[in-house]
Amino acid sequence: MARRKIIAGNWKMNMTPSEALALVETLKPLVNNDDVDVVYGVPAIDIVPVVEAVKGTNVKVAAENMYFEEKGAYTGEISPAMLVDAGVSYVILGHSERRGYFYETSEDINKKILKAFEHGLTPIMCCGESLEQREQGITMEWIRQQVKVGFQGVTADQAKTAVIAYEPIWAIGTGKTATADQAEEVCKGIRDCIAEMYDEATADAIRIQYGGSMKASNCKELLAKPDIDGGLIGGASLKAEFGEIVNYNK
């Protein structure tokens, strides 16, 4: 089946609200591609102004994280209901920076994924290996574990709508990129894992992105691969270059 490509920017901890609005205005004429789902993953403080700024465009907004409780004494956290009410469609969960710097486990991420589905949010679940793990030859075992734990209790119907982002940690922000063949090999491995957990129809439906220094110069080759359905873009999402990636097929 032909899966619709999804190009998502992960702004990380960049862009004040006023800078965010300026960036949205710069990108508006550049990201218009009816063949591609376009998503901006923005810091929490930027969500409300950015949702307002992209109204009437083809762009959807993602949060960069959320908590797995509905409400309560969780100072500094943001609930799924808050995101939905603010107009958010997607939520990035389990990014390697969340796992590495903030000690989030795959079990934590699983709770968040289940809660996102409960509220009609589409999770973009990140997975990926370190350079050390790649050199040890355990890339696929490591990523399969992240996928299996992350999707524990997720139904096939839910999984079909989810997005998985494969991000080799050694290629994030380093300028190093997995070769198109390396990226395809892992994305296919993730799809095979989903087929084992569910069935072929679910594996055919789920969208798998590649993230890790995807840019205008390499996006065409990566996005031509049969199991790479989009990109989770870091640095390049903060520049006009993001429009070139969105329009990779033009």
Side-chain angles (χ1 to χ4, degrees):
M1 65 180 284
R3 290 177 295 271
R4 190 174 162 83
K5 293 280 198 268
I6 175 166
I7 305 292
N10 177 14
W11 292 8
K12 307 192 179 187
M13 196 177 74
N14 294 295
M15 297 284 140
T16 64
S18 55
E19 289 168 343
L21 291 179
L23 179 61
V24 169
E25 287 310 311
T26 300
L27 292 177
K28 260 182 192 170
L30 307 176
V31 297
N32 208 358
N33 186 344
D34 293 336
D35 303 327
V36 172
D37 287 342
V38 183
V39 181
Y40 297 160
V42 308
I45 199 166
D46 295 340
I47 287 171
V48 171
V50 170
V51 165
E52 197 56 39
V54 300
K55 275 189 177 151
T57 74
N58 60 321
V59 176
K60 301 286 189 214
V61 177
E64 294 181 16
N65 187 30
M66 65 167 216
Y67 200 51
F68 50 73
E69 295 290 357
E70 297 287 338
K71 56 178 149 186
Y74 305 104
T75 301
E77 292 294 337
I78 290 176
S79 75
M82 292 172 185
L83 296 180
V84 171
D85 194 62
V88 167
S89 307
Y90 294 82
V91 57
I92 300 169
L93 297 172
H95 192 279
S96 60
E97 290 154 6
R98 297 295 320 167
R99 294 177 193 259
Y101 303 148
F102 304 101
Y103 308 107
E104 289 188 13
T105 65
S106 290
E107 288 77 11
D108 294 331
I109 292 149
N110 174 241
K111 288 183 195 169
K112 293 181 180 190
I113 287 171
L114 293 172
K115 194 53 81 171
F117 279 124
E118 217 176 284
H119 285 264
L121 291 162
T122 300
I124 298 175
M125 189 199 85
C126 303
C127 57
E129 83 284 15
S130 66
L131 187 57
E132 188 182 21
Q133 287 160 340
R134 178 162 277 271
E135 286 171 349
Q136 288 166 347
I138 60 169
T139 293
M140 221 48 245
E141 291 97 312
W142 179 259
I143 288 168
R144 283 168 63 86
Q145 183 188 21
Q146 288 182 321
V147 171
K148 286 185 169 184
V149 177
F151 276 69
Q152 189 76 36
V154 172
T155 68
D157 283 344
Q158 289 171 331
K160 282 175 185 165
T161 68
V163 179
I164 296 176
Y166 165 54
E167 295 202 303
I169 298 165
W170 49 272
I172 298 173
T174 60
K176 290 181 185 172
T177 315
T179 66
D181 287 340
Q182 284 173 323
E184 166 64 15
E185 182 185 13
V186 177
C187 290
K188 183 178 187 312
I190 292 169
R191 202 175 303 285
D192 291 345
C193 181
I194 293 290
E196 286 169 33
M197 292 171 68
Y198 299 99
D199 50 41
E200 290 296 338
T202 306
D204 280 347
I206 196 166
R207 293 189 289 179
I208 302 172
Q209 297 173 309
Y210 172 73
S213 299
M214 185 187 277
K215 41 194 180 278
S217 59
N218 61 21
C219 65
K220 277 190 171 64
E221 187 188 5
L222 286 160
L223 293 168
K225 293 294 182 184
D227 289 291
I228 300 179
D229 305 315
L232 185 60
I233 318 295
S237 70
L238 301 171
K239 303 183 252 190
E241 180 184 357
F242 188 65
E244 292 179 57
I245 301 171
V246 168
N247 288 289
Y248 77 98
N249 59 342
K250 296 289 194 265

